[in-house]
Amino acid sequence: MTPSDNVTLYRAHLSTIKARIDQALEKGGFDHLLSGLGHREIRIPRRPPLPLQAQRPVQGLAAAYPASPLLDSLYPGRKPVLVYYQPDDYWHVPPSAPEGVWVDEFDIRVISDPAEAVKHLPTGGKTAILGETDAALPGFLPNNPKVVLDYLHFHRAFKTAYELDRMRAAQRRAVPGHLAARAAFQAGAPEMQVHAAYLAATGHTDFDLPYTNIVCLNQHAAVLHYQYKDVAAPPQHRTLLIDAGAEVDGYASDITRTWDNGDSDFATLVSAVDDEQQALCDKVRAGTDYRDLHLECHLRLGNVLRTLGIVDMEPGEMLSSGVTSTFFPHGLGHPIGLQVHDVAGFSDEDGNLIPRPNGHPYLRMTRTLAPGMVVTIEPGIYFIPTLLSKLKATPQAKAVNWAQVEKLLPYGGVRIEDEVHCTDAAPENLTRDAFAALS
Ligand code: GLY
Ligand code: MN
Ligand code: MN
């Protein structure tokens, strides 16, 4: 891709986003839009990063996010004004001058004092002001009109060609990290060093990852959002589950791999989940209700549990009695883009709720798939002591091969996660393509 291809893509992207904004403003009866485009917090040292940080309040307008608060004011039909805050700061490095493919598309006004912003912002007419209320400028308190937000959020699921290009790049940035993490695991490294290998290979620091890496050796894989990194290596390296992404121009990737050490029972389980995961990825097709895919995932994983002699029960009964939820207690996946768990997974264009299936409280996406959407597909089978002890107290316990469960407990679990682009035809697996390009 040449720089001029990039500019062309970005221009087309911005024109799509502007058209969406015009529609949203018209729906809400507003004359213009003012949007806080988000910023990267300067973190106080030693404050732990928030898990799954995704604090950008960006409503899909621009797609390049320098480390500066940005304010954009958009009047339909005009070049957007962008107020770019470059403080005179000697405690931290201030944001550098605006650069990137997006710069020429904005009327940029650089300020060094937030109070100066006001003179660049819209006067007169009805303004939809999007943003977080605690970051408000005097006289510009966000009103976050629901009708505007609902429309923009809903359409944000449909990625432009520019966004897809950036998301592919975010995959290509993460994959070397996954390969380095696997090598560190195979060399017997502790979690902290596996994590360090990941960071070095992706060129990220902890603070600019799209979410805190989840790096689990052995039974730690049974903690879905395991938040620590042990400094010492365990006596044995049975398995590594690593859930880690990367960021490119504000777009996140979210990838999970589970590597085994060749132990036959656990390796068989990883390979069986991988097969089901790939079959599910292939079903990311226009017109498919994501809720149905989630339920199909339960049935497929139930079949794995039965085939591998872990639970002796028909998969449909495992699903209806909650047995599969003991082993797979999270959702199949979620929309992704500017945020790891992107907005509007549960609503239609007017903000009406599309409910989750009963008994599936952690599913993060209930919409019907359509071309342009990118979702994660992340099935898993885990051996989680607290959920297993609850299962043990139910009538279904008699169908469980507890000896086999005991044998697999020290491995924690398996999750495989890819990002998949729904197209007009066959799905595009952004993650597998990035792995294939490197091997
Ligand atoms: N990394 C968090 C998730 O997969 O949703
Ligand atoms: Mn995910
Ligand atoms: Mn993940």
Side-chain angles (χ1 to χ4, degrees), residues 52 211 214 225 243 254 256 334 340-341 378 415 417:
L52 291 182
Y211 58 93
I214 300 168
H225 284 168
D243 183 340
D254 178 10
T256 308
H334 49 87
V340 178
H341 293 161
E378 46 184 302
R415 173 164 73 256
E417 174 176 25

Side-chain angles (χ1 to χ4, degrees), residues 400-428:
V400 177
N401 179 345
W402 292 104
Q404 189 61 10
V405 166
E406 284 294 321
K407 228 172 122 187
L408 290 166
L409 267 169
Y411 295 81
V414 42
R415 173 164 73 256
I416 315 278
E417 174 176 25
D418 291 344
E419 272 166 50
V420 187
H421 168 209
C422 177
T423 75
D424 286 322
E428 175 192 4

